[in-house]
Each structure stands twice: as C-alpha cells, then as structure tokens.
C-alpha cells in the first residue's frame, strides 16, 4: 500500500512537471482581454504585488481601482521562460511592450466589452 502511494506520488509529480513545461497557453479571464503572450504592461500598482496564481492576482487587481492589468513575469529568466513558470503581478500601465516570456491580461473598462471589439 505504501509502495503504491509512492508510485502515485511520482506519477503525479511527473505530470505536474510536464504540465508546467508545456503550459504556454494561459487561461482567459472574465472581464479581461488576453492572454497576450510575450507582452508586458509597465507601471506598478500596489508596488507590483506578486502572486503565485492567476486567480489571486485577478482578485487583487479587481479590488484596486487603478489596476489595469496583470502580467505573468519570468523576470527574463531563461529557465523560467522554458518551464513556463513565473509570478503574476498587478500593473497600472499605460505602457505596453514586447517582452519574451511574459504574458499580459488587460482589464476591460466595462466587463464584457473588449477593447478588441471597438
């Protein structure tokens, strides 16, 4: 029984690593445009508070009146870019630029109305 548990743990860990490695496609968020890959938004809000998960960053951004987006950043780290891992930071903007490895979500001014529709 103990052995089976260890094998299961090893399989789960392997699956997790594989999922992280292939995880280039990030989730879409309600009330946000994106994800836009290899793109970043500058301008910190709340000192660019960083979160380990997208839902945490989304909740925090939604609680701030001057938060206009979320950036998953790898801080330019090659290993992180390769693995598709990074931290989710809340940003103000308005500057947007290309940055390899980063992914950006832009908060919609009115939820459900995409800037892309205009």
């Amino acid at each position: 029984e103990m052995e089976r548990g260890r094998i299961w743990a090893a399989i789960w860990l392997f699956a997790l690593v594989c999922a992280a490695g292939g995880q280039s496609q990030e989730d879409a968020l309600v009330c946000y445009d994106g994800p836009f890959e290899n793109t970043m938004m500058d301008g910190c809000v709340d000192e660019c508070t960083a979160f380990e998960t997208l839902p945490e960053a989304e909740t925090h951004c939604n609680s701030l009146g001057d938060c206009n987006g979320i950036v998953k950043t790898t801080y330019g780290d090659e290993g992180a870019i390769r693995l598709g891992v990074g931290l989710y930071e809340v940003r103000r903007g308005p500057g947007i630029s290309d940055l390899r490895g980063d992914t950006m979500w832009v908060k919609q001014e009115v939820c459900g109305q995409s800037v892309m529709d205009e």
Side-chain angles (χ1 to χ4, degrees):
E1 188 59 47
M2 181 79 181
E3 185 59 28
R4 208 179 74 190
R6 266 215 310 273
I7 291 169
W8 174 246
I11 291 170
W12 184 80
L13 190 66
F14 180 72
L16 200 67
V17 169
C18 287
Q23 190 64 41
S24 60
Q25 187 55 53
E26 292 285 327
D27 291 337
L29 294 176
V30 176
C31 303
Y32 287 77
D33 289 319
F36 302 103
E37 294 193 359
N38 300 309
T39 311
M40 64 90 69
M41 175 186 289
D42 65 19
C44 284
V45 60
D46 197 23
E47 297 175 353
C48 277
T49 306
F51 298 89
E52 287 184 15
T53 69
L54 182 56
E56 288 174 306
E58 176 189 16
T59 300
H60 192 62
C61 187
N62 289 344
S63 75
L64 302 169
D66 53 354
C67 181
N68 294 312
I70 298 165
V71 172
K72 177 187 178 186
T73 181
T74 58
Y75 306 102
D77 182 85
E78 282 301 322
I81 292 171
R82 208 168 41 249
L83 287 171
V85 297
L87 290 173
Y88 299 88
E89 293 184 351
V90 290
R91 299 286 175 94
R92 172 182 283 127
I96 289 172
S97 55
D98 295 341
L99 188 61
R100 195 169 81 80
D102 280 20
T103 305
M104 173 187 75
W105 292 260
V106 179
K107 190 196 278 184
Q108 296 167 351
E109 212 169 324
V110 177
C111 184
Q113 288 181 8
S114 170
V115 217
M116 303 306 182
D117 298 340
E118 291 169 12

